[in-house]
Amino acid sequence: MKKEVVIIGGGIIGLCCAYYLQQDGHQVTIVDKSDISRGASFVNAGYITPSHFIPLAAPGMITKGLKWMLNSSSPFYVKPRLDADFLKWSWLFKKSATAKHVEQSIPVIKDINLLGRELYAELKKSNDFDFHFERKGLLMCYQTEKAGEEEWNIGERAIQEGLNVQHLTKEEVKKFEPNVDFNIKGAVFYDSDAHMTPNDFMKQMIAFLKTKGVLFYTNEAITNLAVSNDKIVSVQTSKRTLKADEFVLSAGTWSSVLAKKLQINIPLQAGKGYSINVTEDTGISMPAILVEAKVAVTPMRGFTRFAGTMEIGGINHDMNPKRVKAVANTAEGFYNGLQIPKSAIDAATCGLRPCSPDGLPYIGKTENYKNLTIATGHAMMGWSLGPATGKLVSELISERKTSMRLDGFEVGRFSF
């Protein structure tokens, strides 16, 4: 049955929800507080990552976080603050960071990433798009034996999960990257992964959706949500009232703020990441993560992107020059001869990734309101999981069997 659907949030998740809902015959409207030209969906590393099946909430992360808390340029930085939401999130993170949680999460995260990769490949094959998409795999490059051992332990587990993984020497890495002089000991190679140019895809998807009749209301913040009994009746923006049969909340980090208006608890913290684009020829042709500093390197259409850090410090787009410089210094330390221009560092951008306490997204209907579907909390995997989430949301709203089970993604799992 055709329904009218309002999607709150026009990032990668919101756009993919709109795409599959429109494909299923629904009338879709997207409303966003920005002009949908910036943010995490545009400045991320562009990875599709079945390899990243370990949730952020894992044993050892608390210890690392405490150590890194003293270093504002560390890979994972938590800014301490007396804020009730942050303190609750931190407690839930600590509670989730167990070996049992990791084991339960691995197949779930892997499967939704594989679904995302499959759907991106389908979109690429269609005549509707011409975005950049390459499946070259991913190099996890390390400089120390300890980091290499830890990474290979994950690689061995990935092999148990059915992924194709190789442990490479520095000389073997050279076969993958003949035009790069690496300062590394070796790398773990994941054949499963792919990469894209995010802003390329975002612009094409927005243009396509408009041709299909999807309405966009941008630069309009949600000011109120009207409810009646167990349903949302309408949302009020700064300019208009929008009524619909179904509503999707996919507003990234802001989702938890809006959910509070409905007395729905979805703990989220903004994980800020920084991005540097280098238009000069770097010789880099393979996506790589520089393991010790968690810096991602992606050859994109027309430039190379260096992205990294996870900064839990509230909802803001304040730039921290130390953290930007740390990303540049790490890249130059792994690639001999690489020089990132000051102009590129000065032009660095940031985006906020919505992080749940257990490292799993929220995807599903709410108990409170029959016509509200939540889709947020994807953290660093938002880009990778965009199409998979969009398809699952459309299947829920269209009342069809979902492409995979939603165990682990329950919206109300932290109700209190």
Side-chain angles (χ1 to χ4, degrees):
M1 184 177 77
K2 182 178 178 180
K3 299 177 181 179
E4 291 190 11
V5 185
V6 167
I7 298 173
I8 303 170
I12 182 62
I13 303 299
L15 292 187
C16 288
C17 288
Y19 175 82
Y20 289 102
L21 284 163
Q22 178 274 321
Q23 292 285 299
D24 281 343
H26 304 297
Q27 177 59 52
V28 182
T29 298
I30 293 176
V31 58
D32 195 285
K33 66 197 294 290
S34 76
D35 64 357
I36 318 183
S37 66
R38 59 192 182 278
S41 295
F42 288 83
V43 304
N44 65 83
Y47 288 165
I48 297 95
T49 53
S51 63
H52 283 42
F53 51 73
I54 304 293
L56 184 62
M61 279 305 296
I62 299 293
T63 304
K64 286 182 180 179
L66 290 172
K67 181 179 71 174
W68 285 336
M69 194 181 289
L70 302 174
N71 179 4
S72 62
S73 61
S74 62
F76 180 53
Y77 176 60
V78 179
K79 183 179 179 180
R81 58 195 190 279
L82 291 175
D83 173 82
D85 289 338
F86 167 70
L87 294 173
K88 286 177 184 176
W89 184 93
S90 300
W91 178 75
L92 290 168
F93 184 96
K94 184 178 186 299
K95 190 178 176 183
S96 299
T98 65
K100 180 180 179 181
H101 169 65
V102 170
E103 285 302 309
Q104 291 174 337
S105 301
I106 285 173
V108 176
I109 296 175
K110 181 203 69 176
D111 288 348
I112 193 171
N113 270 285
L114 287 172
L115 176 60
R117 188 191 70 190
E118 178 185 312
L119 295 173
Y120 269 123
E122 284 182 10
L123 289 170
K124 177 66 176 176
K125 288 178 183 177
S126 73
N127 295 322
D128 298 319
F129 303 99
D130 182 33
F131 56 83
H132 169 228
F133 175 93
E134 291 184 86
R135 184 175 164 187
K136 286 187 171 183
L138 177 68
L139 291 167
M140 302 293 292
C141 299
Y142 60 87
Q143 291 183 324
T144 63
E145 294 292 349
K146 182 183 178 183
E149 288 176 12
E150 290 176 354
E151 202 55 49
W152 182 235
N153 286 338
I154 297 172
E156 289 182 316
R157 181 54 199 271
I159 292 171
Q160 292 177 23
E161 291 294 321
L163 301 182
N164 182 11
V165 190
Q166 301 173 53
H167 200 172
L168 308 175
T169 64
K170 179 180 178 179
E171 291 69 30
E172 289 170 329
V173 172
K174 190 72 177 176
K175 296 176 184 177
F176 285 86
E177 277 284 38
N179 299 319
V180 166
D181 182 13
F182 268 118
N183 177 26
I184 59 173
K185 285 191 177 296
V188 176
F189 172 68
Y190 288 86
D191 175 66
S192 55
D193 292 21
H195 69 283
M196 301 170 63
T197 303
N199 53 309
D200 181 22
F201 178 86
M202 291 290 289
K203 290 175 182 177
Q204 288 191 35
M205 179 57 82
I206 290 170
F208 174 80
L209 292 174
K210 286 181 177 179
T211 66
K212 295 297 182 179
V214 173
L215 299 177
F216 282 78
Y217 295 119
T218 57
N219 296 311
E220 296 190 27
I222 301 295
T223 57
N224 191 39
L225 299 99
V227 301
S228 177
N229 297 323
D230 57 357
K231 286 191 173 184
I232 297 174
V233 178
S234 65
V235 294
Q236 180 72 45
T237 79
S238 49
K239 296 180 181 178
R240 71 193 81 239
T241 298
L242 297 170
K243 296 182 179 181
D245 303 307
E246 297 276 348
F247 295 83
V248 177
L249 180 53
S250 58
T253 305
W254 288 269
S255 298
S256 59
V257 178
L258 291 170
K260 275 186 179 181
K261 293 178 181 288
L262 299 167
Q263 287 76 52
I264 296 173
N265 180 58
I266 47 171
L268 287 173
Q269 285 293 304
K272 187 185 297 177
Y274 295 91
S275 179
I276 302 171
N277 295 338
V278 175
T279 54
E280 290 83 357
D281 184 18
T282 61
I284 296 169
S285 63
M286 279 290 297
I289 289 181
L290 315 181
V291 171
E292 283 85 350
K294 305 291 187 277
V295 169
V297 183
T298 316
M300 295 189 178
R301 185 175 273 177
F303 59 95
T304 305
R305 175 166 289 172
F306 300 89
T309 85
M310 174 64 82
E311 178 183 333
I312 307 292
I315 300 178
N316 66 77
H317 286 89
D318 300 337
M319 298 292 291
N320 186 330
K322 284 186 179 179
R323 297 183 70 73
V324 176
K325 189 62 177 163
V327 171
N329 289 344
T330 294
E332 292 177 348
F334 272 75
Y335 294 88
N336 292 322
L338 174 68
Q339 289 186 319
I340 297 182
K342 183 178 182 300
S343 58
I345 295 172
D346 291 343
T349 53
C350 70
L352 302 179
R353 297 161 293 192
C355 300
S356 69
D358 60 359
L360 294 170
Y362 302 103
I363 306 172
K365 293 278 189 176
T366 65
E367 292 183 3
N368 314 56
Y369 304 99
K370 291 180 178 179
N371 65 337
L372 175 64
T373 306
I374 306 275
T376 189
H378 297 73
M380 299 90 73
M381 297 181 293
W383 189 263
S384 187
L385 305 185
T389 302
K391 189 171 182 64
L392 292 167
V393 166
S394 186
E395 288 167 342
L396 285 170
I397 289 175
S398 301
E399 300 177 21
R400 297 202 315 273
K401 182 180 178 182
T402 54
S403 296
M404 63 176 288
R405 293 178 64 180
L406 300 180
D407 298 2
F409 305 143
E410 295 88 352
V411 173
R413 63 186 185 270
F414 295 116
S415 296
F416 53 76

